Amino acid sequence: MRSDLPALIIIDMQKAMANPAAGQRNNPDAAERIARLLAAWRAAGAAVVHVRHISRTPGSLFWPGQAGVQFQEALAPLPHEHVVEKNVPDAFIHSTLERWLRVRDVKRIVIVGVSTNNSVEGSARSAGNLGFDTTVVADACFAFACTDYAGQARSADEVHAMALANLNGEYATISDSASVLRALAAS
């Protein structure tokens, strides 16, 4: 594994996220972009971390033992790739993720996955606060439509854009998959 390259952290790309019950989402090509990033990271010999959400809420699409907990086949980890399980949105809380990265001297991370305003945003905030040089790949993440605190319906694109705006600059750099792939190839 090359510690001079950023680690790719793939968040919650489990079968539950492909279930229509998850809701109306944006970035329908996000999984394909994540697969391209994953292939490039593997070819470069860079670190890859797969994050899996395990819910503590009975009936959740992420409840243990359900098909929704399994990784999507195209994005499943290889035996040597690190898997982090979490029960809260932030992949750094109550997990070994920070220690795993520090032991390998990884200073830069690239985050992709779902959902932009939940697990991606929570994990990117912690990563930035912990001092990791963090990039979030906007077109390799997606969000779901929801109603805001004031009762206003927000589209998945609006939710996604606001989450990225919350992260941009202070916690992470926001980029796109083409730019990230070019940077990896130049490393």
Side-chain angles (χ1 to χ4, degrees), residues 115-118 120-126 128-129 134 136 138 143 146 148 157-174:
S115 72
T116 316
N117 60 305
N118 194 345
V120 170
E121 186 173 353
S123 300
R125 283 175 182 264
S126 283
N129 285 335
T134 304
V136 174
C146 67
D148 69 19
D157 282 331
E158 290 173 315
V159 172
H160 180 73
M162 193 69 231
L164 295 174
N166 291 339
L167 294 171
N168 191 34
E170 189 163 351
Y171 301 102
T173 299
I174 308 304

Side-chain angles (χ1 to χ4, degrees), residues 59-80:
S60 165
L61 296 173
F62 295 101
W63 184 252
Q66 294 190 48
V69 172
Q70 297 171 7
F71 289 108
Q72 294 176 25
E73 283 86 6
L75 302 171
L78 297 177
H80 68 279

